[in-house]
Amino acid sequence: MSQISIILPTYNVEKYIARALESCINQTFKDIEIIVVDDCGNDKSIEIAKEYASKDNRIKIIHNEENLKLLRTRYEGVKVATSPYIMFLDPDDYLEFNACEECINILDENTDMLCFNAYMINNTKNPIKSYFNNAYTIDEFFLFLIDKNNFIWNAWGKLFKKNNLINTFLSLNLKNNKITMAEDALIFAVYTKNIKKIQTFNKCLYNYNCENNNSTTNQKCITQIKDYIKDLKCCSRKLSNYNDNSCHSLFCQYIISCLQIHKYDLCYKYIYKNIFIKILIKLSRKRQKIKQKSLLKTIKYNEFKF
């Protein structure tokens, strides 16, 4: 059995997928499996993946029957993974060749999640140092993130325990939800509910590609923007179910606040042209920011002592 399953949710990334797969198959730690999940794109991404799979039996390709979007596509990959640990790789990004080896070397068997740093690729390769070498209880980790005001909830840049990840997806009760925007915030928030120990690592092991104009974060089509706003609302609704007045509940409230602000920004910039509606959106955003600051004070000063 492999030790790490690297899952690539794949949709129209023919320009980049070869680089992503090369970064996987050339890992210095060889005991891995590479799962490419075909989300029914219309380019040559999967044909390229099949060429690599014909030469490396660690590569598995599974096919969604229909386009399921990013959240459920990740889940399809997790379901077939055979390793105790899961790493997500968006196929327009790539890993450092020593990523898996560094994770295995530092990993504590009691660790439920390992977070590491990344490079941002945009003409140049810039290290983003968000984490240091440390270990946290979950409450300590929430406080660390809030104190930095730097919520890095991306699904990439982390090593998850498969069993915990399966339970996360089951508790989300996805059914017919097809979500692309903020799906990683949803995974991160729900995954952290029932875990105890988190490790952070100061090395940059992931390369995040900011140059892909077709990525979710770069799309400007109005129809897609409206879909993203629906996703933000859906994620917020699901997170609002965690309202038991615990530290995790406050953490979810903060994430909901971030998603709400992002929704206002999208509406203001792309959806509404009427000046009066735009003024109302700005006022709503300002109120949300005030509410968010109040929530941060509550979390910091109470130090999660309930």
Side-chain angles (χ1 to χ4, degrees), residues 69 178-182 216 221-234 266 271:
K69 301 297 180 67
K178 295 182 178 181
I179 300 172
T180 295
M181 177 64 74
T216 298
C221 170
I222 294 299
T223 300
Q224 288 175 315
I225 295 297
K226 289 180 177 179
D227 286 341
Y228 297 158
I229 291 171
K230 289 179 183 178
D231 290 352
L232 292 170
K233 290 179 179 178
C234 180
L266 290 176
I271 304 300

Side-chain angles (χ1 to χ4, degrees), residues 94 119-127 207-211:
Y94 61 100
Y119 294 106
M120 296 295 175
I121 310 299
N122 191 1
N123 295 323
T124 59
K125 188 172 180 175
N126 301 307
N207 293 276
Y208 177 68
N209 177 20
C210 299
E211 300 173 338

Side-chain angles (χ1 to χ4, degrees), residues 6-233:
I6 306 173
I7 297 174
L8 292 78
T10 301
Y11 180 82
N12 289 353
V13 284
E14 65 178 13
K15 182 178 177 181
Y16 304 101
I17 192 169
R19 181 178 65 180
L21 289 171
E22 289 280 353
S23 78
C24 294
I25 63 178
N26 290 309
Q27 286 293 306
T28 54
F29 182 78
K30 302 299 182 182
D31 194 10
I32 63 174
E33 68 174 354
I34 304 153
I35 301 173
V36 177
V37 188
D38 172 19
D39 198 30
C40 305
N42 54 18
D43 69 355
K44 297 180 180 179
S45 299
I46 300 305
E47 283 72 13
I48 294 170
K50 287 178 178 177
E51 290 181 18
Y52 278 91
S54 68
K55 301 171 185 175
D56 193 323
N57 60 14
R58 295 175 300 172
I59 300 176
K60 301 177 183 177
I61 301 175
I62 64 172
H63 305 274
N64 293 340
E65 293 184 1
E66 60 178 329
N67 179 250
L68 297 178
K69 301 297 180 67
L70 192 49
L71 181 60
R72 288 176 61 190
T73 296
R74 291 194 195 280
Y75 184 30
E76 294 304 310
V78 173
K79 286 192 290 187
V80 303
T82 61
S83 310
Y85 295 100
I86 302 290
M87 184 184 292
F88 291 112
L89 171 62
D90 292 345
D92 51 345
D93 302 333
Y94 61 100
L95 298 171
E96 293 293 296
F97 290 142
N98 63 338
C100 292
E101 181 177 13
E102 291 283 2
C103 287
I104 288 294
N105 286 342
I106 195 175
L107 193 64
D108 184 303
E109 63 179 9
N110 295 318
T111 297
D112 297 302
M113 182 167 70
L114 173 65
C115 306
F116 46 86
N117 290 318
Y119 294 106
M120 296 295 175
I121 310 299
N122 191 1
N123 295 323
T124 59
K125 188 172 180 175
N126 301 307
I128 307 299
K129 294 283 189 176
S130 301
Y131 298 118
F132 311 97
N133 291 342
N134 214 334
Y136 301 89
T137 66
I138 188 60
D139 290 2
E140 290 170 345
F141 188 63
F142 289 159
L143 286 170
F144 162 74
L145 293 177
I146 289 167
D147 190 53
K148 286 171 64 67
N149 196 21
N150 188 11
F151 279 72
I152 307 168
W153 53 49
N154 308 85
W156 51 261
K158 296 174 178 65
L159 196 68
F160 301 91
K161 278 188 175 178
K162 181 192 171 180
N163 289 341
N164 291 345
L165 205 50
I166 287 287
N167 291 334
T168 294
F169 281 107
L170 289 175
S171 68
L172 284 171
N173 193 23
L174 295 174
K175 293 183 179 178
N176 295 320
N177 295 131
K178 295 182 178 181
I179 300 172
T180 295
M181 177 64 74
E183 48 78 36
D184 42 5
L186 196 57
I187 293 172
F188 183 81
V190 179
Y191 184 89
T192 52
K193 178 171 174 55
N194 295 311
I195 65 175
K196 295 180 179 179
K197 182 179 178 181
I198 294 175
Q199 281 182 265
T200 57
F201 194 31
N202 70 345
K203 291 191 177 181
C204 295
L205 304 177
Y206 192 96
N207 293 276
Y208 177 68
N209 177 20
C210 299
E211 300 173 338
N212 180 9
N213 292 325
N214 294 320
S215 72
T216 298
T217 51
N218 288 329
Q219 292 293 338
K220 300 296 187 291
C221 170
I222 294 299
T223 300
Q224 288 175 315
I225 295 297
K226 289 180 177 179
D227 286 341
Y228 297 158
I229 291 171
K230 289 179 183 178
D231 290 352
L232 292 170
K233 290 179 179 178

Side-chain angles (χ1 to χ4, degrees), residues 258-276:
C258 293
L259 299 182
Q260 186 76 0
I261 290 169
H262 188 33
K263 184 192 76 172
Y264 287 140
D265 289 342
L266 290 176
C267 288
Y268 185 89
K269 188 173 183 180
Y270 298 109
I271 304 300
Y272 294 103
K273 305 301 179 184
N274 184 286
I275 186 63
F276 297 106

